[in-house]
Amino acid sequence: MASQSKLHLFLSSWSTRLALAMIVIVVLMAFLAPWLASQDPMFLDPSVRLKKPSAAHILGTDAYGRDLYSRIIYGSRVSLMVGTGVLAISVFFGVILGALAGYFRALDSVIMRIMDGIMAIPAVLLAIALVSVSGASLTTVIVAIAVPEIPRVTRLVRSIMLSVRSEPYVEAAVTLGTSPLKILLRHMLPNTVAPLIVQGTYIFAAAVLIEAILSFLGAGIPPEVPSWGNIIADGRSYFQLLPGLVLYPGIVLSLTILTINMLGDAARDALDPKLAARN
Amino acid sequence: MTHPGNERPETVLSVRDLCVETVSRSDPRPILKSVSFDVYAAETLCIVGESGSGKSVTAFSVMGLLPPDALRRSGGRILLNGRDLSTARPGEILALRATTMSMVFQEPMTALNPVRRIGEQLDEVIRIHRSLPAAQRREMVMKMLTEVDLPDPPRIYRSYPHELSGGQRQRIVIAMALILEPKLLIADEPTTALDVTTQKQILHLMKELQRVHGTSVIFITHDFGVVAEIADRILVMRHGVTIENGTRDQILAAPADPYTRELVASVPGIHPPAPLPPKHDRVLSLRNVSKTYGTRPLFGRPRLVHALSDVNLDVHRDEIVGIVGESGSGKSTLARCVIGLVEGWTGEIRLGDHLLEDASRNRSYDIKQRLQIVFQDPYRSLNPRRRIGASLMEGLTNFGMAESQARRKVAEVLEIVGLDSSVMQRYPHQFSGGQRQRLCLARAIVMEPEILIADEAVSALDVTVQGQVLDLLADIKRRTGVAILFITHDLRVAAQISDTIIVMQHGRIVEKGTPQQVIRSPREDYTRELIQSAPGAHWDFRNFRPFVAEPGAEPAVS
């Protein structure tokens, strides 16, 4: 009953529905890429390099004669994989570490000081270091972006744990002889779900953006793989000749991040009990 | 204008057919239904009612403070000094606040701005409404601080709110409300958050200020004890309707409406029931239990707070031990040491023959099962995400009982607490505060404990519900022989239910005895002070009459 009204609240505004539709389009792009794309995104054809949009190449071609439209479609795969991968890793480790730090007093200061240390590492520097050690790959990029996000999730989960552990219903569970693990899973962790959904959308959006930055700088995905950052990096020298090489992937990237953030805001409003009470 | 020699008292506030409803286009719900009353010059009108009765909404309507996105006035008139507030523009009402009518809120902690000095906050009130030179304003503030009996006004003037106690803060709030000599003061539960001894002082102060300044007071409260102390006239409200309106003696001695009768009769009197309980086997004993909280700063001496010092206590089977004390007396710490939610205490606690381990996590299941607790806040004591059935069976299944058997047992216990077994399918938010407290009780007693700790378990409940839960506790004791540690700040409630009363102050037990002994012939000054501070101690609510003689306690302020 309560969750239904929350969903209703979430979907009540037009901007949210629009954002949701945009996300669905990006996801469909990624899954249906082989059918949507007009040709192999890596296929080189020097005879048609730097062509303006035409019937054969809807958005034109790049400096190597690759089809820009197909590359943008396939680029959504990289973005979604990076976003999902970073989200999964940071939430997985963040929740475990945050729960341990928030529940067991003895572990708190140890875990949190390590987190403070990790937080001091910039994602871009870590990525450059990792790429120079292990070579450019999707996994490297995901790890490089995920590691600095872990402390954020850890802090969020820990703070919720600390505020919930003195709730009478948690203390009641202690006196009823419930084991610490069950108390954590049953009574405490469910409180983190709503804030994690909100935080998760921001992490996802940030990951997509940082991947684009890393690829643009040449420290990310291998250059032949179509990712929005790579496409922009390839096209930047020809910007004056063919602005579409930068503009089209740029617009798709911006719209994707904007809509994810809008969903995050809408989720926050829908899940915030104070805002819910007002409606 | 006052007409000297006029016999009829001047009407300061006149509310006629006031209706308030929720703001909603589709389905506006009425909150106040045609409320009418008058407040005369220099009198105190008490508006009494349980939660949801609309007493605070009435006050907010008069002050023009209804939250615009939630409530709106849908009819009726409010006349202040003959002036119709319902047609006044917002700016006019703003000018009337503090000068003609002002308000004191319940929570003195949040009514003051924490980042500004007391003096500045009082000064601001004058500055907004009067153009006076700074020196004269300061003089007015100092005079007012003296009037509310605060020591060393210049120091208070420079203080920040956090440097003052709750009672001092409430004095500041009162000073702020009265500094421009308003005709009408609205006090919304101004003493509810305070200890009884402080409450008594504040009530006395308000009476005194009212006498000096001739202010009319609307005093909103749920506590008939307070009403008996200060009211000239009483307005009883329920579900947004005026139930009864009359002088104090009419309402307290001869309430006409059955609801008023029930409300008055549920007020715990300070006079204990007679029977002495037979002593059974000892189930719990505390020997020299102490608990010290401390912060060990990097430099300097550690700061220690003695929450409990050398507490000795025996609890017997079939006995209700009332532990009474004001905030900070250590009564809750005592309970939490016994149950194992506080660790690092010293001394010995024995459950039967078993020497209890420090913290709950070091205790065996068997020991945990024998000790159970019910907390104060019924809204936070049940996990909002779990069904009632799951919450109530949790303890039993922890001990390895099969789910079907646990379900049967919970259903049995639900019947004892007066609820149907179908509630197991529902969620906590579908229940009222009183019902939730019954559920918490059920969760505790389904474990068949030897000791049940009730930590302020009825303090958050309305007085009629409170009476029902107290009866239920006594009933459970009779049925199961469980010993109950009943922790409360309210001596009246303790006197009503306990077999033994313990009075605590600063972490020590200062008095111990049967309710008869403790209340009729207290040995300690502190106990005597507590008894005298209990509001309405001179009134026998059950029998709708004043007590004839007051052994051990003086008649309170009148």
Side-chain angles (χ1 to χ4, degrees):
Chain A
M1 198 178 77
S3 58
Q4 252 173 20
S5 69
K6 271 177 192 163
L7 192 67
H8 184 75
L9 189 65
F10 180 68
L11 290 174
S12 62
S13 83
W14 273 107
S15 57
T16 314
R17 290 186 212 173
L18 213 67
L20 210 59
M22 176 72 196
I23 296 295
V24 171
I25 289 172
V26 174
V27 172
L28 285 179
M29 261 163 72
F31 277 98
L32 304 178
W35 293 276
L36 287 174
S38 52
Q39 65 177 71
D40 181 352
M42 307 227 207
F43 176 70
L44 304 174
D45 183 0
S47 65
V48 290
R49 56 192 297 265
L50 295 173
K51 289 290 178 225
K52 292 219 160 73
S54 64
H57 305 285
I58 304 169
L59 296 178
T61 57
D62 69 2
Y64 303 99
R66 294 176 296 198
D67 182 53
L68 182 60
Y69 165 71
S70 304
R71 284 182 73 75
I72 290 177
I73 295 284
Y74 271 93
S76 64
R77 290 190 153 186
V78 173
S79 293
L80 286 191
M81 274 195 280
V82 170
T84 318
V86 169
L87 186 63
I89 294 178
S90 57
V91 168
F92 179 77
F93 288 103
V95 166
I96 291 178
L97 291 170
L100 291 177
Y103 192 76
F104 299 103
R105 283 275 165 79
L107 290 173
D108 188 24
S109 52
V110 180
I111 292 178
M112 291 322 288
R113 292 302 78 72
I114 295 173
M115 290 300 122
D116 289 348
I118 296 176
M119 249 187 151
I121 306 172
V124 175
L125 281 188
L126 182 67
I128 293 171
L130 280 177
V131 167
S132 62
V133 171
S134 60
S137 76
L138 189 65
T139 322
T140 319
V141 170
I142 291 177
V143 170
I145 301 173
V147 168
E149 291 289 349
I150 291 173
R152 287 177 221 282
V153 181
T154 306
R155 287 186 161 200
L156 178 73
V157 172
R158 171 182 173 265
S159 70
I160 296 166
M161 289 286 145
L162 287 181
S163 66
V164 173
R165 62 178 287 157
S166 57
E167 284 291 311
Y169 66 82
V170 173
E171 296 193 326
V174 173
T175 62
L176 289 172
T178 310
S179 68
L181 186 67
K182 274 189 185 164
I183 290 179
L184 262 177
L185 294 178
R186 252 188 216 168
H187 297 294
M188 296 176 75
L189 275 176
N191 291 290
T192 64
V193 172
L196 277 179
I197 289 175
V198 177
Q199 184 72 23
T201 58
Y202 297 129
I203 290 176
F204 194 99
V208 171
L209 189 64
I210 295 172
E211 180 275 321
I213 294 171
L214 289 175
S215 298
F216 182 80
L217 293 174
I221 310 290
E224 70 278 7
V225 176
S227 102
W228 293 336
N230 275 343
I231 302 171
I232 297 174
D234 288 341
R236 74 182 190 280
S237 333
Y238 309 98
F239 179 65
Q240 283 173 319
L241 189 66
L242 273 179
L245 286 180
V246 172
L247 278 183
Y248 296 133
I251 288 170
V252 177
L253 175 65
S254 311
L255 275 180
T256 307
I257 289 169
L258 180 70
T259 51
I260 297 172
N261 279 333
M262 276 163 65
L263 285 184
D265 288 344
R268 187 198 57 211
D269 293 352
L271 295 169
D272 186 338
K274 280 182 215 135
L275 286 167
R278 205 176 290 168
N279 280 278
Chain B
M1 291 294 282
T2 323
H3 300 287
N6 195 340
E7 289 303 316
R8 269 198 75 217
E10 180 199 4
T11 308
V12 173
L13 179 77
S14 173
V15 173
R16 286 287 166 273
D17 302 319
L18 177 65
C19 296
V20 171
E21 62 184 22
T22 54
V23 175
S24 164
R25 213 173 306 161
S26 51
D27 174 34
R29 276 188 308 116
I31 300 296
L32 293 186
K33 297 161 205 158
S34 194
V35 171
S36 301
F37 62 91
D38 290 312
V39 182
Y40 303 117
E43 73 158 359
T44 300
L45 172 74
C46 276
I47 302 184
V48 197
E50 299 190 296
S51 45
S53 61
K55 53 193 195 298
S56 287
V57 174
T58 307
F60 283 138
S61 304
V62 173
M63 288 298 287
L65 290 174
L66 289 179
D69 52 349
L71 295 175
R72 67 157 170 255
R73 196 175 50 78
S74 52
R77 295 195 306 158
I78 301 167
L79 296 162
L80 179 66
N81 265 343
R83 185 151 170 215
D84 194 348
L85 295 185
S86 38
T87 56
R89 282 179 288 109
E92 291 174 306
I93 292 182
L94 205 62
L96 289 174
R97 285 189 206 135
T99 56
T100 315
M101 57 181 178
S102 59
M103 190 154 177
V104 172
F105 297 91
Q106 174 173 356
E107 199 45 80
M109 307 294 161
T110 50
L112 294 168
N113 185 340
V115 297
R116 297 189 61 199
R117 293 177 197 277
I118 298 295
E120 293 168 18
Q121 299 190 41
L122 281 161
D123 187 63
E124 187 184 15
V125 180
I126 312 174
R127 222 172 49 231
I128 289 170
H129 294 281
R130 305 256 193 279
S131 45
L132 290 174
Q136 207 175 330
R137 293 202 305 265
R138 191 181 161 86
E139 200 181 311
M140 278 174 78
V141 172
M142 290 301 177
K143 183 165 164 277
M144 198 67 225
L145 288 176
T146 319
E147 268 191 60
V148 294
D149 290 333
L150 283 164
D152 194 2
R155 186 181 64 78
I156 299 281
Y157 192 96
R158 287 190 309 272
S159 305
Y160 287 99
H162 72 265
E163 298 173 80
L164 307 178
S165 70
Q168 286 177 320
R169 273 185 261 203
Q170 200 58 300
R171 282 168 198 268
I172 300 289
V173 176
I174 291 170
M176 204 182 260
L178 291 179
I179 195 159
L180 294 175
E181 307 228 339
K183 289 240 171 213
L184 176 67
L185 175 69
I186 300 178
D188 187 2
E189 304 260 9
T191 59
T192 306
L194 304 174
D195 280 329
V196 275
T197 47
T198 319
Q199 165 169 287
K200 185 184 179 183
Q201 294 162 5
I202 296 284
L203 291 178
H204 187 78
L205 172 74
M206 288 186 71
K207 267 282 172 208
E208 183 62 22
L209 288 172
Q210 181 181 33
R211 195 180 57 75
V212 173
H213 296 272
T215 319
S216 307
V217 176
I218 297 180
F219 197 103
I220 293 166
T221 182
H222 66 280
D223 188 339
F224 256 105
V226 173
V227 173
E229 298 280 333
I230 60 156
D232 295 314
R233 286 189 311 120
I234 300 173
L235 178 72
V236 182
M237 291 185 70
R238 187 193 197 189
H239 302 327
V241 179
T242 314
I243 297 286
E244 204 163 349
N245 186 349
T247 67
R248 179 181 68 169
D249 291 345
Q250 277 171 0
I251 302 269
L252 290 184
D257 190 272
Y259 174 69
T260 316
R261 289 189 78 82
E262 188 196 342
L263 206 55
V264 174
S266 322
V267 178
I270 189 120
H271 291 258
L276 265 169
K279 292 279 185 207
H280 292 279
D281 339 332
R282 193 172 69 190
V283 284
L284 183 76
S285 68
L286 283 76
R287 290 290 171 270
N288 303 319
V289 175
S290 301
K291 166 70 190 167
T292 311
Y293 286 104
T295 47
R296 216 169 289 272
L298 208 51
F299 303 104
R301 286 218 318 233
R303 291 163 49 122
L304 298 177
V305 179
H306 298 278
L308 281 184
S309 336
D310 283 330
V311 169
N312 291 294
L313 176 63
D314 286 319
V315 181
H316 303 86
R317 209 180 116 73
D318 214 5
E319 181 183 31
I320 298 184
V321 178
I323 303 178
V324 184
E326 298 191 296
S327 47
S329 61
K331 57 190 191 301
S332 277
T333 307
L334 176 63
R336 297 171 71 86
C337 287
V338 173
I339 199 89
L341 287 171
V342 159
E343 45 194 280
W345 44 268
T346 56
E348 275 184 21
I349 304 180
R350 277 179 199 278
L351 180 64
D353 295 326
H354 181 89
L355 190 60
L356 280 184
E357 294 79 5
D358 185 357
S360 177
R361 61 166 183 278
N362 300 325
R363 296 179 183 173
S364 68
Y365 277 151
D366 170 49
I367 295 300
K368 287 184 190 174
Q369 173 257 315
R370 291 159 69 187
L371 290 164
Q372 288 299 317
I373 188 165
V374 177
F375 296 100
Q376 172 172 9
D377 189 344
Y379 290 91
R380 288 164 57 199
S381 297
L382 292 162
N383 188 339
R385 290 182 175 79
R386 308 195 76 211
R387 287 182 200 277
I388 299 300
S391 285
L392 264 55
M393 292 191 305
E394 179 166 339
L396 294 176
T397 47
N398 282 339
F399 294 93
M401 188 182 279
E403 194 159 316
S404 56
Q405 199 187 343
R407 193 169 285 277
R408 258 201 314 281
K409 264 197 96 171
V410 168
E412 278 168 29
V413 172
L414 280 172
E415 198 177 313
I416 297 178
V417 301
L419 290 168
D420 191 80
S421 60
S422 66
V423 303
M424 290 166 78
Q425 295 306 317
R426 298 203 264 160
Y427 285 96
H429 71 262
Q430 295 168 287
F431 296 90
S432 69
Q435 287 173 322
R436 286 186 208 207
Q437 209 58 312
R438 285 169 192 271
L439 291 169
C440 294
L441 256 176
R443 177 174 62 186
I445 59 173
V446 79
M447 304 294 288
E448 297 176 356
E450 285 168 34
I451 309 278
L452 176 65
I453 298 174
D455 188 357
E456 299 274 13
V458 300
S459 307
L461 305 176
D462 278 328
V463 58
T464 49
V465 183
Q466 179 176 315
Q468 293 161 9
V469 175
L470 286 177
D471 290 344
L472 178 60
L473 271 176
D475 180 48
I476 288 169
K477 186 199 81 166
R478 255 194 314 279
R479 281 173 186 241
T480 62
V482 64
I484 299 177
L485 280 183
F486 188 84
I487 292 157
T488 179
H489 66 280
D490 194 335
L491 188 58
R492 296 174 296 174
V493 176
Q496 192 180 329
I497 190 175
S498 307
D499 302 312
T500 308
I501 286 187
I502 280 165
V503 180
M504 291 190 68
Q505 186 192 20
H506 304 320
R508 290 174 192 282
I509 292 180
V510 293
E511 182 125 16
K512 192 189 295 191
T514 66
Q516 291 279 349
Q517 294 163 344
V518 171
I519 286 168
R520 302 271 189 223
S521 47
R523 279 174 290 121
E524 291 291 319
D525 288 344
Y526 179 69
T527 314
R528 214 162 287 134
E529 200 186 329
L530 271 186
I531 293 168
Q532 284 170 19
S533 303
H538 62 292
W539 195 270
D540 183 356
F541 291 97
R542 293 236 148 150
N543 299 309
F544 304 104
R545 63 177 184 217
F547 283 115
V548 191
E550 278 290 312
E554 294 295 307
V557 206
S558 53

